Each structure stands twice: as C-alpha cells, then as structure tokens.
Amino acid sequence: MSLVSKIEAGKFVLIAEIGVNYYDIAVKENISNIDAAKKMVREAKNAGVDAVKFQTYKAETIAAKESPSYWDTTEETETSQYALFKKFDSFGYNEYLELSNYCKEIGIDFMSTAFDNESADYLDELMDIYKISSSDLTNIPFIEYQARKNKPIIISTGASNEYEIDNALQAICRYNSKTIVLMHCVLEYPTPYKHADLNQIVSLREKYRDVVIGYSDHTKPDFSYDVVKTAYNLGATVIEKHFTLDKSLKGNDHYHAMDATDATDAKRMVEGISFIDNIRGEYGIRCLDSEQTARLNARRSLVAACDIMKGQTITVGMLTHKRPGTGISPADIKYVIGKRCNRNIKEDTILQYTFLDG
C-alpha cells in the first residue's frame, strides 16, 4: 500500500525526518554525503518506517544573515540560522533524484520539505505528497504555490494559533482538493515532555473533521515511547519524528531524534503501535467469537431447586440458577413461571423449554 493510500485509509504511518542529519553521519563514518543519506534511508526501511523525509533549501533563500537561533544552543552551538543552514545546503535536484530513485528501489517513500519555489518545482516529480513546515504556516503565497501542484499535503502547526491554521487550510483548499494532513507540532527543540500538549490533537480532530490529523514529535525518545503512543491513541495516525544513526552526535536534530537499532526507537515504536492496533480490535458492541465458549459455560441457567413432578406448575421457589448457561437463561424466567411440566424433573437439572407444556 502506498504512503498516500495508507494515510487515506487511516493506517498508522511513521515518517523518519532525516532532514540534513546525513551530513554528520558522513563525517562520522568517513563516507560521502549521498552514501550517508542512502545508509539512513536503508536503516529506516529496515526498521519498518513508511517514509523518509529530507529538507530542501538554500541558505540564501530561507534565512537572512542576521536570523537568530531558536534551538537549544547547548546542543547546537551555532547561533545564526543562516550560518547553520549554509553548512547543510549542498544537495540539489540531482542528489534528490538519486535519493528518490534509491527509495523506490528498496521500497520506501521519499519526501522532502521544500523551502522555496525552485525546490518545490523540481521535487514535484520526485514525490507523491508535499510537506509544509510549521515555519511556513503563515507563508500563504508559498502554501498556495505548493497547493497548485494538486498533490496531498502534510502541514505542521508548530507555534501557530487557530486563526493561522484556518488561513493555511483555506489557502490549500482554494487550489487543491486532495488529502490534507494537519500535524500537531511544538516548535521547541527539544520539546520537554510537559510541553508536548498532546490534547491539542483532540482539539484538532474535533475542529478539523475533513482532514487527517498527525503529530510531528520533537521530544527526546522516552523509554516506552509513551509520547508517540499517546499521540496515536488520541487520534494522530501520521507520526513524524527526526531520525539519526547516532543520538550522541552534537548539533542539528540528532539529540531528540529516534534511531534505527533493534533495541530502541524506530523499530520498537513501530512494534508498539502494531501492538496497540492489535489490542484495539474493531468498533461495535458485540460478543467476540473467542468468548463463545465462556459465554456458554460461565453464564447461568435456570435449575430445578427440588424434584418437580410431571404435571406440576412451576413456581419461583422451585427454581435456582447455576452454571453452565446451556439451558433457559434466568433472564427468561417469566416464560417459565406458571408453566406445567411434561415430565419428572430431578433436583439440580438444567431446565430446557422441551420440559414444559405450551
């Protein structure tokens, strides 16, 4: 099933936000940037992730040279947005084409967030769904530009209010009738657990009933992945989380990312959500097939509390109720009282309708 099909079907989708973390992986492992990016894609695929996402920008088109930092500078020491972006903006169309083709080859969806018109244009042929960053939620001209591509859109809501979200959605819908995924997001890197504010997911679901609700997580991975699991249980079916191969690396988005090892994070997160799906079951109030034996044997039947002779009229005092439930249910006692027996019934016999006249 394709990424878009899974989203539209309400299935759980996990997006690994590689972003530009592959630059640091390349340095650590002494390999090229493109090989590092491919390695991260491969590890995400092996961990059961549905899609990988990069970030496509040039420093000159995303930030003025005097743009200050808004992240934890004890983790990422660069204090200029422009300077930070400049370190990680070497990829262009050719590199993303190679990554898109590689994703197709190994069977994982490719995505990248565009931050300018040029990248939005060339990414169009490389991916099936657009992702709009929280930082561009109020950039209505750019939202409209991407909406005109007429593809499904994922848009994050970090640092926004209801009016701004309304405007962004209206801008999309003016030019686009495809699926929209609205992602609850806290624009704080990392997000303290007490700031995750996951009940916003419920509020988004209640207000925006015609869109899919997701969650873009910036908390540090907790031991049991309770943040992501709670988001999913509250209704966020699309989860996006930063992704690395080494959370100990300084800078960028390594320190609050998930990784791909068997023991932690991405793989166990996928397994945890799968477990939740298994225990959720289906909607509707009913007796399960697996309960049928217990239903029959653990429920009670009307039982003769004494010997009852043929021809006697049954009274309440002649009856008790015991397991199993293979006879007449105590709920139906009104259909038994006043009936005549058509045979002798010994004490402790489970009553059947065939024992009664009429």
Side-chain angles (χ1 to χ4, degrees):
M1 184 180 288
S2 71
L3 179 68
V4 173
S5 296
K6 285 190 74 172
I7 291 172
E8 292 176 344
K11 303 291 186 182
F12 172 69
V13 167
L14 180 60
I15 301 171
E17 166 67 90
I18 292 175
V20 293
N21 279 345
Y22 55 89
Y23 284 89
D24 297 319
I25 299 300
V27 171
K28 177 190 174 185
E29 302 198 6
N30 194 29
I31 56 179
S32 69
N33 290 332
I34 194 71
D35 285 342
K38 286 181 178 179
K39 180 173 182 177
M40 294 186 75
V41 168
R42 190 165 58 251
E43 293 292 344
K45 166 66 178 176
N46 291 341
V49 169
D50 296 286
V52 290
K53 190 177 78 65
F54 296 86
Q55 295 177 7
T56 303
Y57 57 75
K58 293 298 179 184
E60 291 79 8
T61 63
I62 192 173
K65 292 184 179 178
E66 300 304 318
S67 297
S69 62
Y70 56 91
W71 47 77
D72 184 349
T73 52
T74 64
E75 297 283 0
E76 169 52 66
T77 57
E78 188 59 70
T79 58
S80 160
Q81 290 186 53
Y82 175 84
L84 180 65
F85 292 139
K86 193 62 182 173
K87 292 178 182 178
F88 307 113
D89 71 349
S90 66
F91 276 17
Y93 170 73
N94 290 332
E95 289 80 10
Y96 290 115
L97 173 62
E98 186 172 345
L99 287 173
S100 176
N101 287 338
Y102 183 69
C103 287
K104 290 176 184 174
E105 179 185 324
I106 68 171
I108 190 170
D109 278 80
F110 168 86
M111 298 171 60
S112 189
T113 301
F115 285 92
D116 53 58
N117 288 1
E118 180 184 0
S119 58
D121 285 341
Y122 70 67
L123 287 170
D124 188 23
E125 69 178 80
L126 306 182
M127 59 190 192
D128 296 327
I129 188 167
Y130 275 86
K131 168 65 195 295
I132 298 175
S133 164
S134 292
S135 61
D136 278 321
L137 186 85
T138 58
N139 189 353
I140 300 301
F142 190 42
I143 290 175
E144 292 177 337
Y145 190 85
Q146 294 177 86
R148 288 189 182 98
K149 304 293 185 183
N150 202 33
K151 287 185 174 178
I153 289 176
I154 300 173
I155 183 166
S156 289
T157 64
S160 65
N161 58 42
E162 195 169 316
Y163 173 78
E164 292 166 340
I165 296 171
D166 287 345
N167 276 353
L169 291 177
Q170 289 165 12
I172 294 171
C173 292
R174 276 195 290 274
Y175 302 98
N176 191 318
S177 60
K178 299 297 176 64
T179 299
I180 299 172
V181 182
L182 193 62
M183 306 283 279
H184 169 52
C185 172
V186 177
L187 213 58
E188 184 177 4
Y189 299 88
T191 302
Y193 298 131
K194 65 182 179 180
H195 292 177
D197 208 26
L198 296 182
N199 276 336
Q200 275 205 49
I201 293 167
V202 178
S203 299
L204 292 172
R205 286 184 67 199
E206 290 175 350
K207 178 173 173 61
Y208 303 106
R209 296 181 180 273
D210 295 330
V211 305
V212 177
I213 301 301
Y215 173 54
S216 183
D217 181 42
H218 296 140
T219 64
K220 291 185 176 181
D222 57 289
F223 179 77
S224 298
Y225 316 104
D226 288 333
V227 174
V228 168
K229 289 177 181 177
T230 300
Y232 180 65
N233 276 326
L234 291 174
T237 54
V238 179
I239 302 292
E240 176 186 80
K241 187 156 184 64
H242 286 272
F243 183 74
T244 185
L245 302 184
D246 186 349
K247 285 185 285 191
S248 69
L249 289 173
K250 281 288 186 181
N252 275 313
D253 297 312
H254 300 286
Y255 57 93
H256 59 87
M258 62 179 176
D259 64 29
T261 67
D262 287 353
T264 57
D265 298 342
K267 189 165 188 175
R268 285 178 59 197
M269 202 176 291
V270 171
E271 291 171 349
I273 297 295
S274 178
F275 176 74
I276 288 172
D277 281 338
N278 283 334
I279 63 175
R280 274 183 172 183
E282 299 177 3
Y283 293 102
I285 301 170
R286 68 206 183 282
C287 173
L288 301 178
D289 290 343
S290 60
E291 297 177 295
Q292 292 296 339
T293 300
R295 175 186 172 92
L296 189 65
N297 291 299
R299 289 192 171 184
R300 301 200 191 201
S301 299
L302 293 174
V303 173
C306 59
D307 290 340
I308 305 172
M309 298 295 104
K310 181 178 178 181
Q312 278 190 287
T313 299
I314 295 181
T315 64
V316 172
M318 296 176 178
L319 302 176
T320 186
H321 32 81
K322 298 182 180 182
R323 297 182 181 187
T326 54
I328 301 171
S329 170
D332 295 328
I333 191 171
K334 61 186 177 183
Y335 302 118
V336 176
I337 300 302
K339 297 288 185 180
R340 291 167 62 89
C341 293
N342 59 24
R343 68 192 69 188
N344 293 332
I345 302 172
K346 289 186 177 182
E347 180 185 355
D348 207 40
T349 298
I350 297 171
L351 263 64
Q352 306 293 336
Y353 282 114
T354 56
F355 298 175
L356 310 174
D357 286 335

